[in-house]
């Protein structure tokens, strides 16, 4: 299946893109997504372990299975709210 | 009420919006842009968000607070875009019948916001050097 | 800055007065006139004070807070005279470099105010019955 | 010595006066003042044990000695600050 992964903040700057397209086996989980993303966008490899993955605007653990209609985003450590 | 905005936050209107006859107090928290963090001098900031998810998470914080405390009303606004030093980046106003709940709920709201809401701050110094601030300070 | 006033409290001006470039946040507490206390219905209140001592005690609270916490600035205003339900009777604004101190210091300020500042509230119900409220509720 | 004692709030209403004048022995303390006040203004007797006495705008314990120039006030339980 083909997935679009959205980037924000530091992830966007490192990837130099707002999003990337990945090809994964049908039913692949978040763990597989992380591996594929590191391979496809090496500039993200160092940051990715510190990021959460959001699936349909909800933080998702590594064992969550994905479908091609999911909205997927890389969430670097957040820093809203001032100090 | 929770929302994101690119405009200056009118925190008086926000506070008025939560005032209620049945409440004895309001606590308002304002996050403001600070110039100094250790030795680092901030000239200005920009805030970026994964907007639909940030709005969803802000609404979740409101729901959590309404479940944990008997509040009157709550309003949270976070600003996005370019902010100068001393400007208000976030405002949280909570009215409650009794004041202790207002302090506890407001402090909870800002802690949760810094944990779960996908908003990011980019810091610029006077030389134009930029850095994404990573994670919550204190 | 601490003072008593017979005018409506302009809490936005109060808040702006404590905003500082070196601070990352402000906590504002507003006490407002509540209509219900248990079964009792309040129609309006009057606040009276032993004014010179009240001003002295408010200044003492400011000094205590400046000693206990590294704050930016603090402003406390208490209103006297006749207040309707939903009006602001007291406003306390404190700016600090880090937000936790602002919450702690602001909560301390209102607790101390209710303990040591000679200000009294007279409660009037809809039938004109009046009673001096005795001691701090919660 | 002659002392003027100021009343506020419930004490003012009960005494139906803003102040009263008391005659005490020179150097009398706050305890003696309380006793003289209860005798001179019986309407205050019930409230007085719940009041503090302020001397020169400072709360004063029973053993504080008074002078004729002191500013003295009866302070009923305070209730500032809304709820």
């Amino acid at each position: 299946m083909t997935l679009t992964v959205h980037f924000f903040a530091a992830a966007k700057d490192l990837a130099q893109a707002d999003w990337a397209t990945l090809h994964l086996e049908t039913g692949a989980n978040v763990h597989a997504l992380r591996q594929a993303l590191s391979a496809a966008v090496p500039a993200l490899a160092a940051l990715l372990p510190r990021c959460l993955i959001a699936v349909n605007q909800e933080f998702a653990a590594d064992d969550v299975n994905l479908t091609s209609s999911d909205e997927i985003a890389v969430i670097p450590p957040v820093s809203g709210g001032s100090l | 009420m929770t929302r994101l905005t690119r405009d200056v936050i009118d925190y008086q209107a926000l506070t008025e919006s939560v005032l209620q006859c049945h409440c004895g107090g309001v606590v308002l928290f304002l996050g403001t842009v600070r110039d100094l963090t250790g030795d680092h001098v901030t000239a200005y900031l920009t805030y970026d968000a994964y907007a639909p998810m940030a709005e969803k998470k802000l609404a979740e914080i409101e729901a959590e607070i309404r479940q944990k405390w008997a509040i009157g009303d709550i309003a949270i606004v976070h600003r996005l875009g370019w902010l100068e030093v001393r400007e208000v980046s976030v405002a949280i106003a909570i009215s409650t019948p009794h004041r202790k709940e207002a302090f506890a709920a407001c402090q909870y709201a800002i802690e949760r916001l810094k944990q779960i809401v996908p908003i990011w701050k980019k810091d610029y110094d006077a030389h134009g050097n930029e850095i994404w601030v990573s994670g919550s300070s204190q």
Side-chain angles (χ1 to χ4, degrees), chain A residues 78-83, chain B residues 2 9 27-33 47 57-58 60-62 64-65 68-69 74-79 88-94 101-119 121 135-138:
Chain A
V78 301
S79 53
S82 176
L83 291 188
Chain B
T2 59
I9 294 174
V27 171
L28 171 70
F29 172 76
L30 301 179
T32 57
V33 179
Y47 281 95
K57 289 291 164 189
L58 288 173
E60 279 180 27
I61 292 171
E62 172 173 347
E64 283 178 23
I65 285 172
K68 289 169 88 82
W69 289 280
I74 176 172
I76 308 178
V77 177
H78 200 298
R79 187 152 165 215
V88 174
S89 54
V90 60
I92 303 173
I94 302 180
E101 285 76 5
F103 281 103
C106 193
Q107 196 159 8
Y108 180 86
I110 181 63
E111 301 298 333
R112 287 294 279 165
L113 186 153
K114 295 177 70 68
Q115 286 169 353
I116 69 166
V117 180
I119 297 176
K121 175 165 57 180
S136 322
S137 322
Q138 45 99 39

Short mmCIF file of all heavy atoms in Angstrom, two decimals, chain A residues 78-83, chain B residues 2 9 27-33 47 57-58 60-62 64-65 68-69 74-79 88-94 101-119 121 135-138:
data_model
loop_
_atom_site.label_atom_id
_atom_site.label_comp_id
_atom_site.label_asym_id
_atom_site.label_seq_id
_atom_site.Cartn_x
_atom_site.Cartn_y
_atom_site.Cartn_z
N VAL A 78 7.36 18.19 21.21
CA VAL A 78 6.57 19.42 21.10
C VAL A 78 7.15 20.50 22.03
O VAL A 78 7.83 20.20 23.01
CB VAL A 78 5.08 19.17 21.42
CG1 VAL A 78 4.52 18.14 20.45
CG2 VAL A 78 4.87 18.75 22.86
N SER A 79 6.86 21.74 21.71
CA SER A 79 7.39 22.85 22.53
C SER A 79 6.44 24.05 22.51
O SER A 79 6.87 25.20 22.46
CB SER A 79 8.79 23.25 22.02
OG SER A 79 8.76 23.52 20.63
N GLY A 80 5.16 23.76 22.56
CA GLY A 80 4.19 24.84 22.63
C GLY A 80 4.15 25.46 24.03
O GLY A 80 4.79 24.97 24.95
N GLY A 81 3.41 26.55 24.13
CA GLY A 81 3.05 27.06 25.44
C GLY A 81 4.02 28.00 26.10
O GLY A 81 3.81 28.35 27.25
N SER A 82 5.07 28.42 25.44
CA SER A 82 6.09 29.25 26.07
C SER A 82 6.70 28.48 27.22
O SER A 82 6.52 27.28 27.34
CB SER A 82 5.49 30.57 26.54
OG SER A 82 6.46 31.31 27.23
N LEU A 83 7.48 29.17 28.07
CA LEU A 83 8.20 28.41 29.11
C LEU A 83 7.33 28.16 30.32
O LEU A 83 6.36 28.83 30.53
CB LEU A 83 9.44 29.19 29.50
CG LEU A 83 10.47 29.20 28.38
CD1 LEU A 83 11.76 29.81 28.88
CD2 LEU A 83 10.73 27.80 27.87
N THR B 2 -11.63 26.07 22.85
CA THR B 2 -10.19 25.98 22.59
C THR B 2 -9.95 26.30 21.11
O THR B 2 -10.74 25.90 20.26
CB THR B 2 -9.65 24.57 22.89
OG1 THR B 2 -10.34 23.63 22.08
CG2 THR B 2 -9.85 24.21 24.36
N ILE B 9 -3.55 37.71 21.01
CA ILE B 9 -4.57 37.10 21.87
C ILE B 9 -5.20 38.19 22.75
O ILE B 9 -4.50 38.86 23.51
CB ILE B 9 -3.96 35.99 22.74
CG1 ILE B 9 -3.49 34.83 21.84
CG2 ILE B 9 -4.97 35.50 23.78
CD1 ILE B 9 -2.75 33.73 22.59
N VAL B 27 -8.73 31.92 37.26
CA VAL B 27 -7.28 31.97 37.11
C VAL B 27 -6.97 32.02 35.63
O VAL B 27 -7.51 31.23 34.84
CB VAL B 27 -6.60 30.76 37.79
CG1 VAL B 27 -5.12 30.71 37.42
CG2 VAL B 27 -6.75 30.86 39.30
N LEU B 28 -6.14 32.99 35.26
CA LEU B 28 -5.68 33.16 33.88
C LEU B 28 -4.18 32.92 33.85
O LEU B 28 -3.44 33.51 34.64
CB LEU B 28 -5.97 34.60 33.42
CG LEU B 28 -5.38 35.02 32.07
CD1 LEU B 28 -6.07 34.31 30.91
CD2 LEU B 28 -5.46 36.53 31.89
N PHE B 29 -3.74 32.02 32.97
CA PHE B 29 -2.31 31.87 32.73
C PHE B 29 -1.98 32.44 31.36
O PHE B 29 -2.67 32.13 30.38
CB PHE B 29 -1.87 30.41 32.79
CG PHE B 29 -0.44 30.22 32.36
CD1 PHE B 29 0.60 30.56 33.21
CD2 PHE B 29 -0.12 29.74 31.10
CE1 PHE B 29 1.93 30.43 32.82
CE2 PHE B 29 1.20 29.61 30.68
CZ PHE B 29 2.22 29.95 31.56
N LEU B 30 -0.94 33.27 31.31
CA LEU B 30 -0.42 33.76 30.04
C LEU B 30 1.02 33.29 29.89
O LEU B 30 1.85 33.54 30.77
CB LEU B 30 -0.42 35.30 29.99
CG LEU B 30 -1.75 36.00 30.16
CD1 LEU B 30 -1.53 37.52 30.11
CD2 LEU B 30 -2.73 35.57 29.08
N GLY B 31 1.31 32.59 28.80
CA GLY B 31 2.70 32.31 28.46
C GLY B 31 3.19 33.46 27.61
O GLY B 31 2.52 33.88 26.66
N THR B 32 4.36 34.01 27.95
CA THR B 32 4.89 35.16 27.20
C THR B 32 6.30 34.84 26.71
O THR B 32 7.01 34.03 27.32
CB THR B 32 4.92 36.44 28.07
OG1 THR B 32 5.69 36.20 29.25
CG2 THR B 32 3.51 36.84 28.47
N VAL B 33 6.69 35.48 25.63
CA VAL B 33 8.00 35.21 25.03
C VAL B 33 9.09 35.87 25.87
O VAL B 33 9.08 37.08 26.06
CB VAL B 33 8.06 35.72 23.58
CG1 VAL B 33 9.44 35.44 22.98
CG2 VAL B 33 6.96 35.08 22.74
N TYR B 47 5.83 30.05 16.05
CA TYR B 47 5.16 28.83 16.46
C TYR B 47 4.49 28.21 15.24
O TYR B 47 3.82 28.91 14.47
CB TYR B 47 4.07 29.13 17.50
CG TYR B 47 4.61 29.34 18.89
CD1 TYR B 47 4.86 30.61 19.37
CD2 TYR B 47 4.85 28.26 19.73
CE1 TYR B 47 5.35 30.81 20.65
CE2 TYR B 47 5.33 28.44 21.01
CZ TYR B 47 5.58 29.72 21.47
OH TYR B 47 6.07 29.90 22.73
N LYS B 57 -6.34 17.96 20.26
CA LYS B 57 -5.70 17.73 21.57
C LYS B 57 -6.09 18.82 22.58
O LYS B 57 -6.27 18.54 23.76
CB LYS B 57 -4.18 17.65 21.42
CG LYS B 57 -3.71 16.38 20.72
CD LYS B 57 -3.94 15.16 21.59
CE LYS B 57 -3.86 13.87 20.81
NZ LYS B 57 -4.29 12.72 21.64
N LEU B 58 -6.22 20.06 22.11
CA LEU B 58 -6.68 21.12 23.02
C LEU B 58 -8.10 20.81 23.52
O LEU B 58 -8.40 20.97 24.70
CB LEU B 58 -6.66 22.48 22.32
CG LEU B 58 -5.27 23.09 22.05
CD1 LEU B 58 -5.40 24.35 21.20
CD2 LEU B 58 -4.54 23.40 23.36
N GLU B 60 -9.35 17.89 23.83
CA GLU B 60 -9.22 16.77 24.79
C GLU B 60 -8.82 17.28 26.17
O GLU B 60 -9.30 16.76 27.19
CB GLU B 60 -8.16 15.77 24.30
CG GLU B 60 -8.66 14.81 23.25
CD GLU B 60 -7.56 13.84 22.82
OE1 GLU B 60 -6.63 13.56 23.61
OE2 GLU B 60 -7.63 13.38 21.67
N ILE B 61 -7.93 18.27 26.21
CA ILE B 61 -7.52 18.83 27.50
C ILE B 61 -8.72 19.48 28.19
O ILE B 61 -8.93 19.29 29.39
CB ILE B 61 -6.36 19.83 27.31
CG1 ILE B 61 -5.10 19.08 26.85
CG2 ILE B 61 -6.09 20.59 28.61
CD1 ILE B 61 -3.96 20.00 26.43
N GLU B 62 -9.51 20.23 27.43
CA GLU B 62 -10.73 20.81 28.01
C GLU B 62 -11.62 19.71 28.59
O GLU B 62 -12.11 19.83 29.72
CB GLU B 62 -11.51 21.62 26.97
CG GLU B 62 -12.86 22.06 27.51
CD GLU B 62 -13.64 23.00 26.59
OE1 GLU B 62 -13.07 23.54 25.64
OE2 GLU B 62 -14.84 23.20 26.87
N GLU B 64 -10.78 16.67 29.59
CA GLU B 64 -10.13 16.09 30.79
C GLU B 64 -10.39 16.96 32.00
O GLU B 64 -10.69 16.47 33.10
CB GLU B 64 -8.61 16.00 30.58
CG GLU B 64 -8.14 14.88 29.69
CD GLU B 64 -6.61 14.91 29.53
OE1 GLU B 64 -5.91 15.48 30.39
OE2 GLU B 64 -6.13 14.36 28.51
N ILE B 65 -10.25 18.26 31.82
CA ILE B 65 -10.40 19.18 32.95
C ILE B 65 -11.84 19.21 33.44
O ILE B 65 -12.10 19.22 34.65
CB ILE B 65 -9.88 20.58 32.55
CG1 ILE B 65 -8.34 20.52 32.55
CG2 ILE B 65 -10.40 21.66 33.51
CD1 ILE B 65 -7.68 21.74 32.01
N LYS B 68 -12.22 16.20 35.59
CA LYS B 68 -11.47 16.14 36.85
C LYS B 68 -11.93 17.18 37.88
O LYS B 68 -11.78 16.97 39.07
CB LYS B 68 -9.98 16.38 36.58
CG LYS B 68 -9.28 15.24 35.87
CD LYS B 68 -7.88 15.66 35.42
CE LYS B 68 -6.83 15.42 36.47
NZ LYS B 68 -6.34 14.03 36.52
N TRP B 69 -12.42 18.34 37.41
CA TRP B 69 -12.80 19.41 38.34
C TRP B 69 -14.18 19.94 37.98
O TRP B 69 -14.58 19.94 36.82
CB TRP B 69 -11.80 20.58 38.26
CG TRP B 69 -10.46 20.27 38.84
CD1 TRP B 69 -10.11 20.29 40.16
CD2 TRP B 69 -9.27 19.92 38.13
NE1 TRP B 69 -8.77 19.97 40.31
CE2 TRP B 69 -8.24 19.73 39.07
CE3 TRP B 69 -8.97 19.74 36.78
CZ2 TRP B 69 -6.93 19.38 38.72
CZ3 TRP B 69 -7.68 19.39 36.42
CH2 TRP B 69 -6.68 19.21 37.38
N ILE B 74 -13.99 27.18 30.68
CA ILE B 74 -12.56 27.17 30.35
C ILE B 74 -12.38 27.69 28.93
O ILE B 74 -13.22 27.42 28.06
CB ILE B 74 -11.97 25.75 30.49
CG1 ILE B 74 -10.49 25.70 30.05
CG2 ILE B 74 -12.80 24.72 29.73
CD1 ILE B 74 -9.81 24.37 30.35
N ALA B 75 -11.31 28.44 28.72
CA ALA B 75 -10.96 28.91 27.38
C ALA B 75 -9.45 28.82 27.21
O ALA B 75 -8.70 29.26 28.09
CB ALA B 75 -11.43 30.35 27.17
N ILE B 76 -9.02 28.19 26.13
CA ILE B 76 -7.59 28.06 25.83
C ILE B 76 -7.35 28.54 24.40
O ILE B 76 -8.02 28.07 23.47
CB ILE B 76 -7.10 26.59 25.92
CG1 ILE B 76 -7.49 25.95 27.26
CG2 ILE B 76 -5.59 26.52 25.71
CD1 ILE B 76 -7.06 24.48 27.37
N VAL B 77 -6.42 29.48 24.25
CA VAL B 77 -6.03 29.93 22.91
C VAL B 77 -4.52 29.87 22.79
O VAL B 77 -3.81 30.36 23.69
CB VAL B 77 -6.51 31.38 22.64
CG1 VAL B 77 -6.02 31.84 21.27
CG2 VAL B 77 -8.02 31.46 22.70
N HIS B 78 -4.02 29.28 21.71
CA HIS B 78 -2.58 29.27 21.45
C HIS B 78 -2.33 30.02 20.15
O HIS B 78 -3.03 29.83 19.18
CB HIS B 78 -2.04 27.85 21.35
CG HIS B 78 -0.55 27.77 21.56
ND1 HIS B 78 0.36 28.39 20.73
CD2 HIS B 78 0.18 27.17 22.52
CE1 HIS B 78 1.60 28.15 21.17
NE2 HIS B 78 1.51 27.42 22.26
N ARG B 79 -1.32 30.88 20.19
CA ARG B 79 -1.01 31.67 19.00
C ARG B 79 0.00 30.94 18.13
O ARG B 79 0.88 30.24 18.63
CB ARG B 79 -0.43 33.02 19.46
CG ARG B 79 -0.23 33.96 18.29
CD ARG B 79 -0.33 35.40 18.68
NE ARG B 79 0.20 36.24 17.63
CZ ARG B 79 0.86 37.37 17.84
NH1 ARG B 79 1.06 37.78 19.08
NH2 ARG B 79 1.30 38.07 16.83
N VAL B 88 2.18 37.45 24.07
CA VAL B 88 1.49 36.31 24.68
C VAL B 88 1.36 35.18 23.67
O VAL B 88 0.75 35.37 22.61
CB VAL B 88 0.10 36.73 25.19
CG1 VAL B 88 -0.68 35.51 25.69
CG2 VAL B 88 0.23 37.77 26.30
N SER B 89 1.94 34.02 23.98
CA SER B 89 1.86 32.88 23.07
C SER B 89 0.68 31.97 23.39
O SER B 89 0.15 31.30 22.50
CB SER B 89 3.16 32.07 23.13
OG SER B 89 3.45 31.69 24.46
N VAL B 90 0.29 31.92 24.65
CA VAL B 90 -0.83 31.05 25.04
C VAL B 90 -1.57 31.70 26.20
O VAL B 90 -0.95 32.34 27.06
CB VAL B 90 -0.33 29.64 25.42
CG1 VAL B 90 0.65 29.68 26.58
CG2 VAL B 90 -1.48 28.69 25.73
N ALA B 91 -2.89 31.56 26.20
CA ALA B 91 -3.71 32.07 27.30
C ALA B 91 -4.70 30.98 27.69
O ALA B 91 -5.34 30.37 26.83
CB ALA B 91 -4.46 33.34 26.89
N ILE B 92 -4.78 30.73 29.00
CA ILE B 92 -5.71 29.73 29.53
C ILE B 92 -6.48 30.39 30.67
O ILE B 92 -5.88 30.84 31.64
CB ILE B 92 -4.95 28.50 30.08
CG1 ILE B 92 -4.08 27.88 28.98
CG2 ILE B 92 -5.93 27.47 30.66
CD1 ILE B 92 -3.17 26.77 29.49
N ALA B 93 -7.80 30.47 30.53
CA ALA B 93 -8.64 31.07 31.58
C ALA B 93 -9.64 30.03 32.06
O ALA B 93 -10.31 29.38 31.25
CB ALA B 93 -9.38 32.29 31.04
N ILE B 94 -9.73 29.87 33.38
CA ILE B 94 -10.65 28.89 33.97
C ILE B 94 -11.37 29.53 35.15
O ILE B 94 -10.74 30.09 36.04
CB ILE B 94 -9.91 27.62 34.44
CG1 ILE B 94 -9.16 26.97 33.27
CG2 ILE B 94 -10.88 26.62 35.07
CD1 ILE B 94 -8.40 25.71 33.62
N GLU B 101 -9.60 25.04 42.96
CA GLU B 101 -9.79 24.26 41.73
C GLU B 101 -9.31 25.05 40.51
O GLU B 101 -8.79 24.47 39.56
CB GLU B 101 -11.26 23.89 41.56
CG GLU B 101 -11.75 22.79 42.48
CD GLU B 101 -11.97 23.25 43.92
OE1 GLU B 101 -11.83 24.45 44.21
OE2 GLU B 101 -12.28 22.38 44.76
N ALA B 102 -9.48 26.36 40.53
CA ALA B 102 -9.07 27.16 39.37
C ALA B 102 -7.55 27.11 39.20
O ALA B 102 -7.04 26.96 38.09
CB ALA B 102 -9.55 28.61 39.52
N PHE B 103 -6.82 27.23 40.32
CA PHE B 103 -5.36 27.14 40.23
C PHE B 103 -4.92 25.75 39.75
O PHE B 103 -4.08 25.61 38.86
CB PHE B 103 -4.72 27.43 41.59
CG PHE B 103 -4.65 28.91 41.93
CD1 PHE B 103 -5.55 29.48 42.81
CD2 PHE B 103 -3.67 29.71 41.36
CE1 PHE B 103 -5.48 30.83 43.12
CE2 PHE B 103 -3.59 31.06 41.67
CZ PHE B 103 -4.49 31.63 42.55
N ALA B 104 -5.49 24.71 40.36
CA ALA B 104 -5.08 23.35 40.02
C ALA B 104 -5.40 23.03 38.57
O ALA B 104 -4.57 22.48 37.84
CB ALA B 104 -5.78 22.35 40.95
N ALA B 105 -6.60 23.42 38.12
CA ALA B 105 -7.01 23.08 36.76
C ALA B 105 -6.19 23.86 35.74
O ALA B 105 -5.81 23.33 34.69
CB ALA B 105 -8.50 23.37 36.59
N CYS B 106 -5.88 25.12 36.03
CA CYS B 106 -5.12 25.94 35.08
C CYS B 106 -3.69 25.43 34.95
O CYS B 106 -3.14 25.36 33.85
CB CYS B 106 -5.15 27.40 35.52
SG CYS B 106 -4.59 28.55 34.25
N GLN B 107 -3.10 25.04 36.08
CA GLN B 107 -1.74 24.51 36.03
C GLN B 107 -1.71 23.18 35.27
O GLN B 107 -0.81 22.93 34.46
CB GLN B 107 -1.21 24.34 37.46
CG GLN B 107 0.29 24.17 37.51
CD GLN B 107 0.88 24.51 38.87
OE1 GLN B 107 0.15 24.75 39.85
NE2 GLN B 107 2.18 24.54 38.96
N TYR B 108 -2.73 22.36 35.52
CA TYR B 108 -2.84 21.09 34.78
C TYR B 108 -2.93 21.35 33.28
O TYR B 108 -2.29 20.69 32.47
CB TYR B 108 -4.07 20.33 35.28
CG TYR B 108 -4.30 19.01 34.60
CD1 TYR B 108 -3.68 17.85 35.05
CD2 TYR B 108 -5.16 18.91 33.50
CE1 TYR B 108 -3.90 16.63 34.42
CE2 TYR B 108 -5.38 17.71 32.87
CZ TYR B 108 -4.75 16.57 33.33
OH TYR B 108 -4.97 15.37 32.69
N ALA B 109 -3.74 22.35 32.91
CA ALA B 109 -3.96 22.64 31.48
C ALA B 109 -2.66 22.99 30.78
O ALA B 109 -2.37 22.48 29.68
CB ALA B 109 -4.98 23.76 31.32
N ILE B 110 -1.84 23.86 31.38
CA ILE B 110 -0.61 24.25 30.69
C ILE B 110 0.40 23.10 30.67
O ILE B 110 1.12 22.91 29.68
CB ILE B 110 0.00 25.56 31.27
CG1 ILE B 110 1.26 25.97 30.53
CG2 ILE B 110 0.25 25.49 32.74
CD1 ILE B 110 1.05 26.30 29.06
N GLU B 111 0.43 22.28 31.74
CA GLU B 111 1.34 21.13 31.72
C GLU B 111 0.95 20.16 30.61
O GLU B 111 1.81 19.66 29.86
CB GLU B 111 1.32 20.39 33.07
CG GLU B 111 1.70 21.23 34.29
CD GLU B 111 3.11 21.78 34.26
OE1 GLU B 111 3.98 21.17 33.62
OE2 GLU B 111 3.34 22.86 34.85
N ARG B 112 -0.34 19.87 30.51
CA ARG B 112 -0.81 18.94 29.47
C ARG B 112 -0.57 19.52 28.08
O ARG B 112 -0.18 18.78 27.17
CB ARG B 112 -2.30 18.64 29.66
CG ARG B 112 -2.58 17.75 30.84
CD ARG B 112 -2.03 16.36 30.64
NE ARG B 112 -2.89 15.52 29.82
CZ ARG B 112 -2.49 14.38 29.26
NH1 ARG B 112 -1.24 13.97 29.41
NH2 ARG B 112 -3.34 13.66 28.56
N LEU B 113 -0.82 20.81 27.93
CA LEU B 113 -0.61 21.43 26.62
C LEU B 113 0.84 21.21 26.17
O LEU B 113 1.09 20.87 25.01
CB LEU B 113 -0.94 22.92 26.70
CG LEU B 113 -0.93 23.71 25.41
CD1 LEU B 113 -1.88 24.91 25.51
CD2 LEU B 113 0.45 24.21 25.03
N LYS B 114 1.77 21.38 27.08
CA LYS B 114 3.18 21.23 26.73
C LYS B 114 3.57 19.78 26.48
O LYS B 114 4.63 19.51 25.93
CB LYS B 114 4.06 21.83 27.82
CG LYS B 114 3.87 23.36 27.94
CD LYS B 114 4.68 23.96 29.04
CE LYS B 114 6.15 23.92 28.71
NZ LYS B 114 6.51 24.82 27.59
N GLN B 115 2.74 18.84 26.94
CA GLN B 115 3.03 17.42 26.72
C GLN B 115 2.46 16.89 25.42
O GLN B 115 3.13 16.11 24.72
CB GLN B 115 2.43 16.58 27.86
CG GLN B 115 3.15 16.68 29.18
CD GLN B 115 2.34 16.03 30.30
OE1 GLN B 115 1.20 15.63 30.12
NE2 GLN B 115 2.95 15.92 31.47
N ILE B 116 1.21 17.23 25.13
CA ILE B 116 0.50 16.46 24.10
C ILE B 116 0.03 17.25 22.89
O ILE B 116 -0.50 16.66 21.95
CB ILE B 116 -0.72 15.71 24.71
CG1 ILE B 116 -1.83 16.69 25.13
CG2 ILE B 116 -0.31 14.80 25.85
CD1 ILE B 116 -3.16 16.00 25.41
N VAL B 117 0.19 18.57 22.89
CA VAL B 117 -0.35 19.34 21.76
C VAL B 117 0.76 19.59 20.74
O VAL B 117 1.80 20.17 21.08
CB VAL B 117 -0.95 20.67 22.24
CG1 VAL B 117 -1.51 21.45 21.05
CG2 VAL B 117 -2.05 20.40 23.26
N PRO B 118 0.56 19.13 19.49
CA PRO B 118 1.64 19.26 18.48
C PRO B 118 1.79 20.69 17.98
O PRO B 118 1.27 21.07 16.94
CB PRO B 118 1.21 18.29 17.38
CG PRO B 118 -0.26 18.13 17.53
CD PRO B 118 -0.57 18.33 19.00
N ILE B 119 2.51 21.46 18.79
CA ILE B 119 2.90 22.83 18.47
C ILE B 119 4.39 22.93 18.72
O ILE B 119 4.89 22.37 19.71
CB ILE B 119 2.14 23.85 19.35
CG1 ILE B 119 0.63 23.77 19.08
CG2 ILE B 119 2.66 25.27 19.13
CD1 ILE B 119 -0.21 24.68 19.97
N LYS B 121 8.02 25.43 18.61
CA LYS B 121 8.55 26.79 18.71
C LYS B 121 9.92 26.82 18.05
O LYS B 121 10.79 26.00 18.35
CB LYS B 121 8.69 27.11 20.21
CG LYS B 121 9.34 28.40 20.54
CD LYS B 121 9.09 28.77 21.99
CE LYS B 121 9.55 27.71 22.98
NZ LYS B 121 9.29 28.13 24.38
N GLY B 135 11.26 19.94 23.05
CA GLY B 135 10.75 19.50 24.35
C GLY B 135 10.48 20.67 25.25
O GLY B 135 10.86 21.81 24.99
N SER B 136 9.77 20.38 26.32
CA SER B 136 9.33 21.40 27.26
C SER B 136 10.48 21.77 28.17
O SER B 136 11.12 20.91 28.74
CB SER B 136 8.19 20.89 28.13
OG SER B 136 7.33 20.08 27.36
N SER B 137 10.74 23.07 28.31
CA SER B 137 11.63 23.52 29.38
C SER B 137 10.82 23.52 30.67
O SER B 137 9.64 23.88 30.66
CB SER B 137 12.14 24.92 29.10
OG SER B 137 12.39 25.07 27.72
N GLN B 138 11.49 23.24 31.74
CA GLN B 138 10.87 23.09 33.07
C GLN B 138 9.36 22.86 32.98
O GLN B 138 8.56 23.65 33.31
CB GLN B 138 11.19 24.25 34.01
CG GLN B 138 11.08 25.66 33.47
CD GLN B 138 9.80 26.31 33.83
OE1 GLN B 138 9.29 26.16 34.94
NE2 GLN B 138 9.22 27.01 32.90
#
